[in-house]
């Protein structure tokens, strides 16, 4: 969403694989497995969980019982023929929140890299399931914390072990999504034993955001429409059936119930500027991810893309609520209709892509990385769909219409809008909504600057940069990744694509050095 400001390793012995020293740990050693290791780490294995378990068993890593301590989350094959298996750390059948470990196989079935988070101390968690309050009670407790008219999607409740001051506590993670009377996409962490709220996060931040028809800026766009006969009359509807995902644009008619009514006209001219842009730009974003990465919609599985415009009155925001896009009309001073900027639409829809891949936790560095990746792909999508007007500004087309050249953020110069461009300027902020969940929008300036330096490097450029960033997001980042993890993931992605000794890797390292991230 948009916002203006709103272990050490104990090496017992080593094995040498193709010039790469891989730490091998004795069972019982109280050290965690490596956060990121690469090289030729195994012989040929089956590229599945059987191969994963065999790898850990034969290498004698601290994960001594991977059969019971690692559960498969997802498995994906990439364009290079590599297999990436993301696993979840488990303790007595309960997943450990944020602790995911990815095992990477090359074309030959050899493990060439492993990365992620795993904590051996989680095994010491005190678990007495007989004392748990249960999912139903946890859901009741979470619902009592907020006011809503109706839920946009069925609520979810899942049991986790959650790290609080280095102690693992069983919690129910309850997720609620609604739009009125105030938009909410809440995660509640409810103590599984006493029902206290350990933490609550609203992932919708309250500040700002596409047939033939005029857009918000007065430009003419060609739209994909669907015709339907309703009560004997023909409607030209903002429904795009030409892609791998059904794209539909609705209007809330300045109310707060969604998705609302499908936008239509009795002729093939659509006279709703905000809807024209929301519909057209949703198609551009779909085409971008499909043409660049062969990704079928936001979830990669062809999910329908819904957008609702004219949400509420004078509403200065746009957001992904977990099921669809929502756009306000702006107030005419701080912003005009937020669907009128392709980079804003690309930013918000990328939150959905992240949610189906790394699913970066919305706080502190992982949250700032979440926001930065949305800015990054918002910029890449603008370059793809509007190359003649591409820049590194975010939201300049819709922000403060009476101030020329103003924007929400500047990736090339974060300090222009008060955001840090180096870790030495990292803003320490409380992990509350008032504190922007540890400064997720503000501190996004640091990885934003790194992205600008990488993509503007003559040895990289936008085309290579977007491939590197997408590969990192889809294959290497996990929910708790921080800035250092992002650097490592980008280096590994560039190594996969262009070689370890390539100028692309050097450019990535230089960029992160420049922003003070080791």
């Amino acid at each position: 969403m948009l916002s203006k400001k709103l272990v050490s390793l104990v090496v017992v012995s080593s094995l040498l694989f193709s010039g790469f020293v891989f730490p091998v740990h004795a069972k019982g050693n109280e050290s965690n497995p490596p956060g990121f290791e690469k090289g030729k780490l195994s012989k040929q294995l089956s590229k599945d969980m059987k191969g994963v378990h065999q790898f850990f068993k034969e290498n004698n890593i601290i994960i001594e019982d991977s059969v019971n301590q690692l559960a498969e989350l997802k498995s994906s094959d990439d364009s290079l023929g590599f297999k990436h298996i993301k696993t979840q750390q488990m303790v007595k059948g309960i997943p450990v929140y944020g602790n995911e470990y990815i095992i990477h196989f090359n074309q030959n079935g050899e493990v060439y890299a492993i990365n992620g988070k795993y904590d051996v101390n989680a095994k010491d968690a005190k678990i007495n399931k007989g004392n748990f309050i249960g999912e139903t009670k946890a859901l009741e407790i979470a619902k009592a914390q907020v006011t809503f008219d109706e839920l946009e999607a069925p609520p979810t409740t899942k049991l986790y072990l959650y790290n609080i001051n280095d102690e693992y506590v069983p919690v129910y993670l309850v997720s609620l999504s609604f739009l009125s009377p105030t938009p909410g996409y809440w995660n509640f962490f409810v103590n599984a034993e006493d029902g206290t709220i350990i933490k609550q996060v609203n992932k919708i931040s309250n500040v700002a955001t596409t047939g033939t028809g005029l857009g918000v800026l007065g430009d003419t766009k060609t739209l994909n429409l669907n015709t339907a006969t309703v009560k004997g009359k023909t409607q030209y509807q903002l429904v795009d059936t030409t892609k791998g995902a059904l794209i539909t644009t609705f209007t809330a008619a300045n109310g707060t119930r969604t998705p609302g009514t499908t936008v239509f006209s009795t002729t093939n001219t659509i006279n709703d500027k905000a809807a024209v842009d929301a519909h057209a730009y949703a198609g551009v974003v779909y085409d971008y991810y499909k043409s660049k990465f062969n990704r079928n919609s936001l979830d990669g599985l062809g999910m329908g893309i819904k957008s609702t415009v004219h949400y509420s009155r004078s509403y200065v925001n746009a957001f992904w609520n977990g099921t669809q896009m929502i756009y306000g009309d702006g107030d005419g001073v701080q912003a005009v209709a937020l669907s009128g900027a392709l980079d804003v639409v690309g930013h918000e829809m990328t939150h959905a892509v992240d949610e189906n891949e790394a699913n970066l936790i919305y706080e502190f560095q992982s949250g700032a990385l979440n926001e930065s990746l949305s800015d990054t792909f918002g910029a890449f999508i603008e370059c793809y769909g509007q190359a003649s007007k591409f820049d590194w500004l975010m939201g300049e087309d819709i922000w403060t219409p009476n101030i020329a050249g103003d924007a929400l953020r500047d990736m090339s110069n974060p300090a222009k809008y008060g955001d840090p461009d180096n870790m030495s300027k990292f803003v320490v902020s409380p992990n509350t909504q008032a504190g922007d969940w540890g400064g997720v929008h503000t501190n996004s300036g640091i990885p934003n600057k790194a992205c600008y330096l990488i993509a503007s490097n003559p040895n990289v450029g936008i085309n290579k940069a977007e491939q590197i960033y997408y590969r990192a997001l889809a294959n290497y980042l996990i929910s708790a990744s921080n800035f250092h993890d992002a650097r490592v993931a980008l280096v590994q992605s560039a190594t996969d694509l262009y070689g370890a000794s390539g100028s692309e890797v050097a450019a990535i390292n230089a960029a992160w050095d420049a922003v003070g991230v080791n």
Side-chain angles (χ1 to χ4, degrees), residues 27-324:
K27 293 183 186 298
N29 189 310
E30 292 303 310
S31 176
N32 285 311
F36 200 109
E37 296 290 350
K38 61 182 180 177
K40 185 179 178 182
L41 307 183
S42 80
K43 63 184 181 182
Q44 187 171 356
L45 302 169
S46 59
K47 295 190 285 185
D48 51 22
M49 285 302 292
K50 181 180 178 181
V52 169
H53 299 319
Q54 185 177 352
F55 167 73
F56 282 109
K57 180 179 180 180
E58 294 182 355
N59 283 289
N60 206 26
I61 301 175
I62 196 68
I63 304 176
E64 61 185 61
D65 181 16
S66 65
V67 173
N68 292 310
Q69 295 172 353
L70 294 179
E72 182 176 355
L73 283 179
K74 64 180 293 187
S75 174
S76 60
D77 296 290
D78 64 35
S79 58
L80 300 180
F82 293 7
K83 169 82 76 173
H84 310 272
I85 300 179
K86 179 182 286 189
T87 65
Q88 168 73 62
Q89 182 181 2
M90 307 291 290
V91 173
K92 297 179 181 178
I94 302 177
V96 182
Y97 185 76
N99 287 21
E100 298 149 15
Y101 218 67
I102 312 178
I103 298 85
H104 309 274
F105 295 85
N106 63 20
Q107 299 97 325
N108 299 322
E110 300 161 332
V111 175
Y112 72 91
I114 53 175
N115 75 288
K117 296 288 189 301
Y118 182 99
D119 189 350
V120 296
N121 296 315
K123 72 179 185 299
D124 298 326
K126 298 177 181 178
I127 302 172
N128 186 348
K129 295 184 179 181
N131 293 335
F132 289 1
I133 62 175
E135 294 184 359
T136 301
K137 181 62 176 178
L139 178 57
E140 291 175 358
I141 292 171
K143 284 183 174 180
Q145 310 305 311
V146 290
T147 301
F148 57 89
D149 293 331
E150 62 180 353
L151 295 176
E152 285 294 293
T156 61
T157 305
K158 186 170 182 178
L159 182 66
Y160 283 99
L161 288 177
Y162 189 76
N163 190 334
I164 304 174
N165 299 322
D166 294 327
E167 179 181 355
Y168 284 90
V169 176
V171 302
Y172 290 105
L173 172 55
V174 182
S175 295
L176 303 173
S177 176
F178 50 87
L179 291 172
S180 62
T182 302
Y185 187 20
W186 286 92
N187 278 349
F188 292 94
F189 295 81
V190 183
N191 189 299
E193 293 187 326
D194 61 21
T196 57
I197 303 293
I198 291 174
K199 180 181 175 182
Q200 57 189 50
V201 177
N202 185 0
K203 297 196 287 185
I204 295 174
S205 178
N206 291 319
V207 178
T209 178
T210 241
T212 301
L214 295 178
V216 172
L217 303 183
D219 54 326
T220 300
K221 290 183 169 67
T222 300
L223 305 168
N224 290 317
L225 304 175
N226 186 57
T227 60
T229 301
V230 179
K231 296 182 179 180
K233 295 183 179 180
T234 300
Q235 292 183 355
Y236 294 83
Q237 302 174 337
L238 281 185
V239 178
D240 185 349
T241 62
T242 68
K243 306 182 188 299
L246 186 68
I247 299 175
T248 310
T249 303
F250 304 85
T251 176
N254 299 123
T256 56
R257 299 180 71 86
T258 61
T261 305
T262 303
V263 176
F264 72 93
S265 173
T266 57
T267 71
N268 62 356
T269 299
I270 304 296
N271 295 309
D272 184 327
K273 294 181 177 181
V276 165
D277 277 347
H279 197 66
Y281 289 157
V284 172
V285 173
Y286 175 88
D287 289 344
Y288 171 81
Y289 279 106
K290 181 65 175 176
S291 65
K292 293 288 186 176
F293 317 114
N294 197 31
R295 184 181 186 88
N296 185 8
S297 195
L298 306 180
D299 64 348
L301 300 172
M303 70 176 289
I305 298 174
K306 298 189 294 183
S307 304
T308 296
V309 297
H310 307 305
Y311 178 80
S312 192
R313 293 186 181 274
S314 302
Y315 189 65
V316 186
N317 201 7
F319 56 88
W320 164 258
N321 77 336
T323 61
Q324 68 162 99

